[in-house]
Structure formats: structure tokens, C-alpha cells
């Protein structure tokens, strides 16, 4: 297993290099990091030129990427061109908030999707199955930002008008009352609901399809013929085998969950990495954007590795022996 983990880490390095090169080229091609200073009438052209030379922006693009790569290899993530703070500190400050939001949405998604997927597969073609299918398609087609605004209007504005305890519309804590666990939970409810809608629909439909296929297999009929209870057949035999492809889907869903956090954090003013990305993307602040790209790529690689290990746990026939 140790050799397998080392092999996976070595495979990830060239992938990360390609992702970083493409991201660097795209970010630097679409925006000038010093555009704000160029348009500022108080800045002289020679001052802008001096800033460009100071940050190495006057060099050819491949040379800039090599310098950025060298700095990253030595642990220097660079400095934001606008807030003049180390990129690593900026990301480290926002990362726990995004992981908290993504983790809450992920836990809620699995808590809702697994029983719904099993129920929909066992009761397939019933009115409840059709109702769940219709609701899943409607939720899948609903834009996140629109759903977020609807929830704010109902649970914040309308609840306040009715005199009911309203849920916060934005932020992470009540500024007047200060930080507390209860305040954070109340602020977390609405963004978690919005961010978990798409994973719930995806996991439910995927688990339903996998379970229906497995429930038609011979070993399930054999288990039923032996007199095992329906709960044991569905959960212990069918669900466990359906989990392996679901784990792969979940690992591939991490980037989509992060992209959903971009929108959700903007709508609910959640101080996470998604909001940091949007704020600095409009400014072309490429050191911050590149740091976020590397961080997300690392999270995806870690999620993929965890998925492979879960594969081995769920399916004992899988072994990760690396030879030669």
C-alpha cells in the first residue's frame, strides 16, 4: 500500500504541472494584473512601468511561469498584487470556512440522497418513485443563485414580516452578538441547503440506477431465497455493492462542489475561498488565483486517493499491489 501511495503522488505531479501551466496562461491572457493602476489618472506611466518591472510582469509569459514555479517549489506562494498580503496566509484564512461549508453540504447530501436512492430503487415505478424523479429533475434544473435568493426572501424577509425567527441572509456570525457556535450554525443553514441540492439529486439518481441493476442479479435472488429480510438484502448486499461506483462519483464531484461554492459564497457573503476567488478574479490578481488553483487541485487529488482506498474497503477483490 505504501508503494501505491508513493506511486499515486508521483503521478499527480505532472498532472498538477499541466493544470498550473494552463491556468497561468489563461489567467494572464484575459486580464492585466495592473489594469487598475493603468486606469488611475493619479498614476504616471513610469510608475506603472516600475510596478510592472518590480513584479516581473515585463518578462515573457513562459519566463513568468518558470519564476512562479520556482517560488512555489520553495514554498513561496507569492504576494497579492492588491492587498499586499502573502497568498498562503489569505488562502489559509479562508480555507477552513470553505471546508466547513463543503463538508456540511456533503454530509447533508449523503444523509438525504442515500435513503432516497435506496427507497426509489426498491419502490421503482411507484408514485413515490415518480414523485422523487420529478423533484430531482426540477432541483437539478434550478440555478443555485436563484434558489439562494428565493431562500433569502422566504426564510429571512418573509419570516421577519411574519414575526417568526428568521435565518440570517449573509455572513458567518452576528456582528453585534459576536462569534458563537449557535450563530455560526444559523448562518450555515441556508448556504448549506443551496450547495447540497445538486449533489442530492445526482447521488439519488445514480444510486437508484445502480441499485436497480444490482437488485436484478442472481446473488440477490439467492439471498432472498435463503429467507433474508428485505432490509438485509437491500442494505447489506445491494447497497454495499452500489457504493463503489458512488464513491468514484463523489470523488469526481469535489471540483463541482467547489465551483458551486463560488456562487453560494457570493450570494450569502460567506467568507470562503470561493468569494476570495471571485474578488481577485475581477482584479486579475494572478498570484492569489494560482494559489487557489493549486489548492483545489490538491484537494481533488486527495479526494481521489481517499476514493481509491474506500474502493478497496468496499470491494475486497480490489488490491493495489504495485509491481516492478
Amino acid at each position: 500500500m505504501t508503494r501505491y501511495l508513493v506511486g499515486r503522488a508521483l503521478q499527480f505531479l505532472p498532472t498538477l504541472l499541466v493544470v498550473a501551466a494552463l491556468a497561468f496562461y489563461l489567467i494572464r491572457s484575459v486580464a492585466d494584473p495592473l489594469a487598475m493602476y493603468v486606469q488611475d489618472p493619479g498614476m504616471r506611466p513610469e510608475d506603472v512601468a516600475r510596478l510592472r518591472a518590480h513584479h516581473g510582469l515585463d518578462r515573457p509569459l513562459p519566463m513568468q511561469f518558470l519564476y512562479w514555479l520556482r517560488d512555489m517549489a520553495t514554498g513561496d506562494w507569492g504576494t497579492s498584487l492588491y492587498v499586499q498580503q502573502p497568498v498562503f496566509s489569505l488562502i489559509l484564512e479562508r480555507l477552513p470556512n470553505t471546508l466547513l461549508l463543503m463538508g456540511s453540504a456533503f454530509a447533508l447530501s449523503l444523509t438525504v440522497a442515500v435513503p432516497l436512492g435506496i427507497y426509489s430503487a426498491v419502490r421503482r415505478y411507484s408514485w413515490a418513485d415518480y414523485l422523487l424523479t420529478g423533484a430531482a429533475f426540477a432541483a437539478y434544473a434550478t440555478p443555485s443563485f436563484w434558489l439562494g435568493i428565493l431562500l433569502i426572501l422566504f426564510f429571512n424577509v418573509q419570516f421577519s414580516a411574519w414575526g417568526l425567527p428568521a435565518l440570517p441572509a449573509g455572513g458567518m456570525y452576528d456582528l453585534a452578538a459576536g462569534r458563537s457556535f449557535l450563530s455560526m450554525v444559523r448562518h450555515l443553514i441556508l448556504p448549506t441547503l443551496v450547495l447540497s441540492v445538486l449533489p442530492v439529486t445526482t447521488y439519488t439518481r445514480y444510486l437508484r440506477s445502480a441499485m436497480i441493476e444490482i437488485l436484478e442479479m442472481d446473488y440477490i435472488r439467492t439471498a432472498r431465497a435463503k429467507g433474508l429480510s428485505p432490509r438485509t438484502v437491500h442494505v447489506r448486499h445491494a447497497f454495499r455493492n452500489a457504493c463503489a461506483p458512488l464513491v468514484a462519483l463523489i470523488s469526481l464531484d469535489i471540483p463541482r462542489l467547489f465551483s458551486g461554492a463560488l456562487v453560494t459564497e457570493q450570494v450569502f457573503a460567506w467568507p470562503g475561498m470561493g468569494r476570495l476567488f471571485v474578488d481577485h478574479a475581477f482584479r486579475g490578481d494572478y498570484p492569489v488565483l494560482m494559489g487557489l488553483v493549486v489548492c483545489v487541485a490538491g484537494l481533488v487529488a486527495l479526494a481521489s486517493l481517499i476514493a481509491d482506498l474506500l474502493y478497496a474497503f468496499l470491494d475486497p477483490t480490489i488490491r493495489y499491489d504495485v509491481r516492478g
Side-chain angles (χ1 to χ4, degrees), residues 272-312:
M273 289 172 59
R275 199 173 176 203
L276 180 69
F277 184 90
V278 174
D279 289 345
H280 289 263
F282 284 117
R283 298 167 174 171
D285 196 352
Y286 78 94
V288 176
L289 300 181
M290 289 301 298
L292 290 170
V293 168
V294 171
C295 194
V296 173
L299 290 177
V300 172
L302 181 62
S304 177
L305 183 59
I306 293 174
D308 286 346
L309 298 178
L310 286 176
Y311 246 80

Side-chain angles (χ1 to χ4, degrees), residues 30-279:
V30 298
D32 180 5
L34 301 182
M36 179 186 297
Y37 299 116
V38 173
Q39 298 170 0
D40 186 352
M43 292 287 288
R44 297 177 302 175
E46 51 268 32
D47 295 332
V48 177
R50 190 163 50 252
L51 275 175
R52 202 175 295 279
H54 175 73
H55 292 292
L57 300 176
D58 56 343
R59 300 189 181 99
L61 209 55
M63 187 69 72
Q64 293 181 37
F65 176 69
L66 290 178
Y67 280 123
W68 175 85
L69 201 61
R70 179 201 61 188
D71 293 340
M72 285 293 291
T74 58
D76 182 6
W77 290 47
T79 303
S80 169
L81 299 178
Y82 287 90
V83 296
Q84 302 300 324
Q85 293 183 20
V87 172
F88 186 76
S89 299
L90 286 173
I91 294 177
L92 199 61
E93 181 183 346
R94 302 293 187 94
L95 180 62
N97 300 341
T98 294
L99 291 180
L100 175 64
L101 179 59
M102 291 177 63
S104 302
F106 179 70
L108 179 63
S109 303
L110 287 183
T111 303
V112 175
V114 168
L116 288 184
I118 295 176
Y119 181 83
S120 191
V122 174
R123 305 289 184 184
R124 59 186 180 279
Y125 311 130
S126 64
W127 67 268
D129 181 33
Y130 287 127
L131 182 63
L132 288 174
T133 301
F137 283 126
Y140 192 83
T142 303
S144 296
F145 72 93
W146 187 72
L147 178 62
I149 293 172
L150 278 184
L151 292 180
I152 290 173
L153 288 175
F154 185 74
F155 288 105
N156 183 270
V157 178
Q158 205 60 48
F159 268 39
S160 298
W162 291 339
L164 297 174
L167 291 175
M172 197 170 176
Y173 300 98
D174 288 324
L175 295 178
R179 294 193 171 195
S180 69
F181 176 76
L182 184 60
S183 176
M184 185 190 67
V185 171
R186 292 181 66 247
H187 284 75
L188 196 58
I189 292 175
L190 291 185
T192 299
L193 284 176
V194 172
L195 195 56
S196 61
V197 166
L198 195 57
V200 166
T201 58
T202 306
Y203 300 161
T204 301
R205 299 303 301 165
Y206 198 87
L207 184 59
R208 176 187 181 275
S209 301
M211 286 281 293
I212 288 177
E213 184 178 350
I214 291 174
L215 288 174
E216 298 297 329
M217 291 185 172
D218 291 338
Y219 76 92
I220 295 295
R221 295 193 185 94
T222 303
R224 286 172 175 155
K226 287 181 177 179
L228 296 179
S229 66
R231 182 185 180 87
T232 303
V233 173
H234 296 154
V235 176
R236 183 178 299 176
H237 295 281
F239 174 65
R240 176 165 182 170
N241 288 335
C243 271
L246 182 63
V247 167
L249 175 67
I250 291 173
S251 67
L252 296 175
D253 214 33
I254 299 297
R256 190 171 64 175
L257 199 60
F258 181 77
S259 64
L262 294 181
V263 178
T264 307
E265 289 180 0
Q266 279 298 108
V267 173
F268 292 97
W270 186 263
M273 289 172 59
R275 199 173 176 203
L276 180 69
F277 184 90
V278 174
D279 289 345

